[in-house]
Amino acid sequence: MRLATFNLLHGRSLTDGLVDPDRLTAAVTALDADILALQEVDRDQSRSGKLDLTAIAARALDAPEHRFAAAVVGTPGETFRPLTHDDDGHGEPCYGIGLVSRHPVRGWRVTRLRPAPVRSPVYVPGPGGGLVLLHDEPRVLLAAILDTPHGPLTVAATHLSFVPGWNAHQLRQVVRALRTLPAPRILLGDLNLPAWAARLVSGWRPLGRRPTYPAGQPRVQLDHVLADRQGIDQLPPVTGVHTPLSTISDHRPLLVDLG
């Protein structure tokens, strides 16, 4: 069973700045993941051709189960608003996370995470860049209870805040939410935390330790696959960890093979 997490950068290539559905399909197909968590995912956004990126990823993996969970309605960096309910935003551009599975899903759970209450300085490269104060965005946790060949498994995808300290607060919220679902439990996503902090704050065990950002020459691991120590003995052993260079995104995907 292969687990993967991938911050898509809404499918954009760093070489030409374009979002090409065929290129996205090829990039996801190359992962050959049984369970795939996606971050920075667009649905109905003009910048990505009004595509449903989660659905494209599911078709690429021949996976019958997938779901997109919007964090905001609108376009990040432009105009957006929080969702008022889980079905909000249909027919409007949305941005969030996705979860794709080749294994049957018994049930889904969405947990919403509030943005940081203050603006935070972020470095923006390029002309006219530098340190700018940005408002944080709402975040979301998407969990699924799966039927796998190794038994029931709870998996979850998320993308936490870039604001130091607030992302740690959100990670503790995520752990509390997932503890209400059946063990074993695995969290996949861009946590915007280095490996030591993700492990320390969550108390969960990293299943793969590799730098994932920036894609060209990764120096830090922002993308993680963590397993709750409660029930971890029910999981198959880790047999491989990979961070292949992709044709899209400024992150590398993190792949973990079990069994």
Side-chain angles (χ1 to χ4, degrees), residues 103-178:
H103 304 300
V105 175
R106 291 185 182 182
W108 297 94
R109 174 84 61 85
V110 173
T111 303
R112 303 208 164 272
L113 306 170
R114 291 188 301 110
V118 296
R119 291 193 297 171
S120 184
V122 173
Y123 178 75
V124 177
L131 282 178
V132 296
L133 287 174
L134 292 181
H135 287 287
D136 195 16
E137 302 159 6
R139 307 285 170 157
V140 64
L141 170 73
L142 175 61
I145 304 166
L146 307 181
D147 281 321
T148 80
H150 305 286
L153 174 66
T154 295
V155 297
T158 198
H159 184 190
L160 300 185
S161 172
F162 61 85
V163 179
W166 194 254
N167 44 26
H169 168 71
Q170 290 178 331
L171 182 53
R172 288 189 286 268
Q173 289 181 288
V174 163
V175 167
R176 287 195 295 271
L178 293 181

Side-chain angles (χ1 to χ4, degrees), residues 226-252:
L226 305 177
D228 190 352
R229 295 178 188 273
Q230 296 181 13
I232 197 170
D233 57 323
Q234 301 172 46
L235 292 174
V238 174
T239 56
V241 177
H242 316 279
T243 53
L245 182 62
S246 182
T247 57
I248 60 173
S249 186
D250 54 348
H251 288 241
R252 290 199 183 199

Side-chain angles (χ1 to χ4, degrees), residues 13-254:
S13 165
L14 295 183
T15 57
D16 58 19
L18 301 178
V19 177
D20 182 320
D22 292 334
R23 186 158 45 193
L24 173 62
T25 296
V28 173
T29 300
L31 303 181
D32 193 25
D34 300 297
I35 300 163
L36 173 62
L38 300 169
Q39 303 86 46
E40 297 197 15
V41 181
D42 283 357
R43 188 182 69 188
D44 294 331
Q45 297 275 2
S46 295
R47 66 184 183 183
S48 50
K50 297 187 179 297
L51 300 170
D52 183 340
L53 303 190
T54 307
I56 291 174
R59 289 194 295 271
L61 293 174
D62 196 23
E65 302 275 12
H66 72 276
R67 183 164 174 179
F68 168 79
V72 299
V73 179
T75 304
E78 298 177 15
T79 303
F80 63 87
R81 61 172 173 81
L83 273 72
T84 56
H85 53 82
D86 285 348
D87 291 327
D88 190 9
H90 281 290
E92 300 179 74
C94 291
Y95 172 82
I97 61 173
L99 191 56
V100 177
S101 174
R102 288 172 171 168
H103 304 300
V105 175
R106 291 185 182 182
W108 297 94
R109 174 84 61 85
V110 173
T111 303
R112 303 208 164 272
L113 306 170
R114 291 188 301 110
V118 296
R119 291 193 297 171
S120 184
V122 173
Y123 178 75
V124 177
L131 282 178
V132 296
L133 287 174
L134 292 181
H135 287 287
D136 195 16
E137 302 159 6
R139 307 285 170 157
V140 64
L141 170 73
L142 175 61
I145 304 166
L146 307 181
D147 281 321
T148 80
H150 305 286
L153 174 66
T154 295
V155 297
T158 198
H159 184 190
L160 300 185
S161 172
F162 61 85
V163 179
W166 194 254
N167 44 26
H169 168 71
Q170 290 178 331
L171 182 53
R172 288 189 286 268
Q173 289 181 288
V174 163
V175 167
R176 287 195 295 271
L178 293 181
R179 284 273 171 83
T180 67
L181 300 177
R185 309 173 187 95
I186 295 178
L187 173 65
L188 306 100
D190 178 354
L191 306 183
N192 270 315
L193 290 164
W196 66 267
R199 176 182 54 80
L200 187 66
V201 171
S202 67
W204 290 22
R205 181 181 298 174
L207 297 185
R209 295 287 297 270
R210 295 283 192 283
T212 59
Y213 183 86
Q217 294 182 313
R219 296 187 299 272
V220 62
Q221 181 172 3
L222 299 179
D223 308 274
H224 302 276
V225 178
L226 305 177
D228 190 352
R229 295 178 188 273
Q230 296 181 13
I232 197 170
D233 57 323
Q234 301 172 46
L235 292 174
V238 174
T239 56
V241 177
H242 316 279
T243 53
L245 182 62
S246 182
T247 57
I248 60 173
S249 186
D250 54 348
H251 288 241
R252 290 199 183 199
L254 174 65

